[in-house]
Amino acid sequence: MANWSAKGTYIEACDCEAVCPCIFLSPPTGESCTVLVGWHVDEGQFDGTDIAGLNAALLAHSPGPMMEGNWKVALYTDERASEAQSQALAGIFSGQAGGHLSALGPLIGEVLGVRAAKIGFSGSDKQFSVSVDGVGSVEMTVLAGQGGGPVKVSGHPLAIAPGEPATIARSDKLTVNDHGLSLDVSGRSAQFSPFAYAA
């Protein structure tokens, strides 16, 4: 197994209302849940290959409660990556290289594809956005909580970034159109947090 680590920021947005109930092991607010996830690596390496500054994204569709599995997923790696970097990103963010994301493997029913794409990732304390060329994009704004501060959820059992509180946001827009999955919604569930993975 490779020796690797990756740290940075992740964001996700889905078509659930309010805070996605899937992270609390509850059914989605609709019959299904479609989510677009983006990662930006601030620092990381994979068997000595530097992956800092690169992005990855995941499109996932769950036909019912996420913990029941049968997900359809597609992974996108940064088109700027070299072949070694692309293999590193695919290994880390598919879970095949071990680490936290490998725990999601049993929930996946079908891999729709893995390919390189132009992935844009930007963010501040209040707003984040991810775009995947030919796939879709999300723009989100942090939800103002008590006193105008952020709303955070920690310790949730279905977490992409375990150990890190998720800051709750609302999608200003979420569009998806790839592999037969299509969305065009706004004002739905979104969140972000730091992440740190290693194996």
Side-chain angles (χ1 to χ4, degrees):
M1 188 68 74
N3 175 277
W4 61 267
S5 62
K7 295 180 180 179
T9 301
Y10 109 93
I11 79 168
E12 70 170 276
C14 70
D15 54 349
C16 286
E17 303 283 354
V19 179
C20 181
C22 304
I23 68 173
F24 305 112
L25 310 185
S26 296
T29 55
E31 293 183 359
S32 63
C33 183
T34 298
V35 58
L36 184 62
V37 182
W39 293 271
H40 175 74
V41 181
D42 288 322
E43 56 181 274
Q45 62 80 33
F46 190 95
D47 275 348
T49 296
D50 186 14
I51 56 171
L54 297 174
N55 302 317
L58 181 77
L59 173 62
H61 174 79
S62 177
M66 281 198 147
M67 289 306 293
E68 292 182 4
N70 295 317
W71 298 5
K72 294 180 179 181
V73 301
L75 180 68
Y76 309 92
T77 58
D78 199 318
E79 68 172 13
R80 300 172 299 157
S82 67
E83 184 170 344
Q85 290 173 323
S86 184
Q87 290 177 354
L89 292 172
I92 291 170
F93 295 105
S94 71
Q96 291 186 343
H100 169 67
L101 294 178
S102 65
L104 302 181
L107 300 175
I108 296 173
E110 181 181 357
V111 177
L112 300 172
V114 180
R115 67 173 175 86
K118 181 178 181 180
I119 303 172
F121 192 108
S122 65
S124 64
D125 291 339
K126 299 292 185 183
Q127 293 182 307
F128 280 87
S129 66
V130 167
S131 62
V132 185
D133 193 40
V135 180
S137 65
V138 57
E139 296 176 4
M140 64 175 68
T141 300
V142 172
L143 179 67
Q146 296 180 36
V151 179
K152 293 182 180 282
V153 175
S154 61
H156 43 297
L158 185 60
I160 288 181
E164 297 284 356
T167 299
I168 303 303
R170 283 279 189 274
S171 59
D172 299 309
K173 77 168 186 175
L174 169 60
T175 59
V176 167
N177 188 14
D178 200 18
H179 295 292
L181 300 174
S182 180
L183 277 181
D184 188 352
V185 297
S186 61
R188 303 291 178 90
S189 172
Q191 60 189 47
F192 68 90
S193 80
F195 75 88
Y197 304 145

